[in-house]
């Protein structure tokens, strides 16, 4: 059995030590593990980001319900049901429109405010990850410097950090908002 040490850890194998650029016996990363790593890094970098994300996503998910509830209550008022006790139907309809308008403006403002804080902080995460990558490259064994496979991996890692952060955050944000909206629609139906 051969024991060898690399920058990724200590390996024991029946095989000889892998040459530069050779594939090592290491576990493959899944999308879930990569997302977990990213969320952990985001939490270590700035703990306010998940909270901003939650407020932003919930605010964006509630906005479509106003478009569902407004016609329902407007029809109830037009059918003669009292929405506000002691208030005429015309005034009830005006109060309803005013209330829904104010709530929607408030929710959109909250969502936009959170976005204005959230997205610049994600730039910081991207630069943080890029810095970690560049530090790892600079500490790489000099014997790997001219290996084309290593250069390809470095290029792929740089592209992943450059586009992957925004892509992952955008996808998580969009998917979370859609899931919350669908749950709300299921509850209404």
């Amino acid at each position: 059995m051969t024991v060898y040490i690399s920058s990724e850890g200590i390996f024991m194998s029946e095989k000889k030590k892998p040459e530069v650029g050779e594939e090592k016996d290491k576990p493959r990363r899944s999308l879930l593990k990569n997302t977990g790593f990213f969320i952990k890094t985001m939490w270590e970098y700035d703990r306010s980001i998940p909270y901003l994300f939650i407020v932003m996503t919930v605010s964006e998910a509630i906005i479509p319900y106003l478009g569902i509830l407004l016609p329902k209550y407007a029809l109830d008022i037009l059918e003669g049901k009292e929405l506000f006790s002691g208030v005429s139907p015309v005034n009830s309809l005006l109060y309803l429109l005013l209330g829904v308008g104010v709530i929607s403006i408030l929710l959109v403002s909250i969502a936009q405010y959170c976005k204005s804080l959230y997205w610049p902080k994600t730039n910081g995460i991207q630069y943080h990850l890029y810095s970690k990558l560049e530090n790892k490259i600079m500490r790489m064994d000099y014997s790997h410097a001219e290996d084309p496979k290593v250069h390809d991996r470095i290029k792929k890692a740089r592209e992943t950090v450059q586009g992957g952060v925004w892509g992952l955050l955008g996808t998580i944000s969009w998917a979370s908002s859609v899931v919350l909206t669908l749950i709300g629609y299921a509850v209404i139906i």
Side-chain angles (χ1 to χ4, degrees), residues 111-158:
Q112 290 302 319
Y113 178 72
C114 288
K115 280 183 184 179
S116 71
L117 297 175
Y118 176 78
W119 290 112
K121 289 182 182 212
T122 59
N123 269 343
I125 293 171
Q126 185 174 7
Y127 295 132
H128 176 71
L129 288 172
Y130 205 76
S131 174
K132 285 175 84 171
L133 174 65
E134 295 302 322
N135 284 335
K136 187 170 185 171
I137 292 169
M138 294 304 291
R139 289 186 173 88
M140 176 177 65
D141 188 28
Y142 189 71
S143 64
H144 300 299
E146 297 301 321
D147 186 4
K149 288 182 180 178
V150 172
H151 282 276
D152 288 341
R153 287 182 180 166
I154 290 171
K155 181 181 176 189
K156 184 178 178 183
R158 284 180 175 149

Side-chain angles (χ1 to χ4, degrees), residues 31-32 34-40 42 49-50 53-54 56-58 60 118-119 122 164-180:
L31 178 62
L32 194 58
N34 286 342
T35 304
F37 167 76
F38 179 73
I39 290 171
K40 179 182 164 199
M42 183 173 56
I49 294 174
F53 173 78
I54 290 168
M56 179 181 70
T57 304
V58 170
E60 288 177 340
Y118 176 78
W119 290 112
T122 59
V165 171
W166 286 91
L168 182 62
L169 287 172
T171 302
I172 290 172
S173 176
W174 171 80
S176 301
S177 185
V178 166
V179 166
L180 285 174

